[in-house]
Amino acid sequence: MVYTPRSARPGALLVGTVAVLGLLTACGNDSGAPSAGPATVPGTAAPARDTPTTPPSGPASSPAGSSPVSVPEAAGSPGGATASATRASTTPAAASTRCHTSELRASVGRNDPGAGQENFPVVLTNTSARTCTVRGYPGAAFVNGSGTQLGPDPKREPGTPVTVTLRPGKSAWAGLTFSNPEISGAKTARPAALVVTPPDERDPLKAAWSGGPVPVSGNSSAVRLTVLSPGTGP
């Protein structure tokens, strides 16, 4: 048995206690509380970061395998919505070939009576320098010298409209027919003119009328109009 002097025992107890506390600290406690972080040791690597501390000076690069996100241009910027609208609005539209009122002259041809009917060709002539077209029925109305309409609008005879191409100086005609008032007994009036409106137009033309009295009311007073055909009459 080795004899230990009394003066040496307290020192040995102190060393042992320190060693036990060191082990308890390293293992943590039973309550689950987080322990102190690791001590910084000179020469070890720094912790990894999700992003660099200082942003790169060049353009940001996409992560490997990802596609760049396209950001729409603001309206009004070059190539944006405004530029697209401008391009669309400057696309030339197809020119209309329809004859306009200002390009036509109206006239009434010679009467071709038959079987108790009066038959007048209503002629539209292209007075412009371009080729244009007419299709369907013209509008028509008899008027007196002051421009007041005489009788109802003519009725449309059943027919198949065709597109009539009018080169400069060429004409199309529609048949205006009514029963002879002396035979039908209809009430009559003597027009000063026949107002003619080209198909799909709003502005009328005025043609002088020299065909005598026309029916405006009563029995068999209806006036009829046919579709336009090429030429100046039958």
Side-chain angles (χ1 to χ4, degrees):
M1 180 176 180
V2 179
Y3 174 75
T4 301
R6 290 180 179 270
S7 60
R9 291 178 182 176
L13 291 175
L14 180 59
V15 172
T17 301
V18 172
V20 172
L21 290 175
L23 289 174
L24 291 176
T25 302
C27 295
N29 52 45
D30 295 334
S31 65
S35 60
T40 302
V41 180
T44 59
R49 299 178 181 271
D50 294 333
T51 56
T53 304
T54 304
S57 57
S61 58
S62 303
S66 64
S67 300
V69 179
S70 176
V71 180
E73 295 183 69
S77 61
T82 300
S84 300
T86 301
R87 285 193 295 271
S89 64
T90 56
T91 302
S96 173
T97 60
R98 188 180 82 239
C99 295
H100 300 294
T101 300
S102 60
E103 299 173 306
L104 299 170
R105 180 184 71 247
S107 60
V108 179
R110 181 177 54 86
N111 184 19
D112 185 20
Q117 295 288 313
E118 309 298 322
N119 305 296
F120 295 86
V122 178
V123 182
L124 293 175
T125 302
N126 181 7
T127 59
S128 73
R130 76 178 183 109
T131 298
C132 59
T133 61
V134 291
R135 179 184 175 88
Y137 298 85
F142 293 111
V143 295
N144 60 21
S146 61
T148 301
Q149 182 170 338
L150 303 174
D153 293 339
K155 297 181 179 180
R156 292 178 174 182
E157 285 279 9
T160 302
V162 296
T163 300
V164 182
T165 300
L166 299 181
R167 296 192 304 274
K170 297 301 180 178
S171 303
W173 71 280
L176 181 75
T177 67
F178 53 86
S179 296
N180 186 318
E182 294 182 0
I183 299 175
S184 68
K187 184 179 179 178
T188 65
R190 187 177 293 272
L194 179 71
V195 174
V196 182
T197 305
D200 300 316
E201 291 291 302
R202 293 181 179 274
D203 297 329
L205 299 165
K206 186 177 287 188
W209 178 262
S210 58
V214 299
V216 293
S217 66
N219 296 332
S220 302
S221 61
V223 179
R224 298 186 179 275
L225 201 62
T226 68
V227 295
L228 286 162
S229 300
T232 57

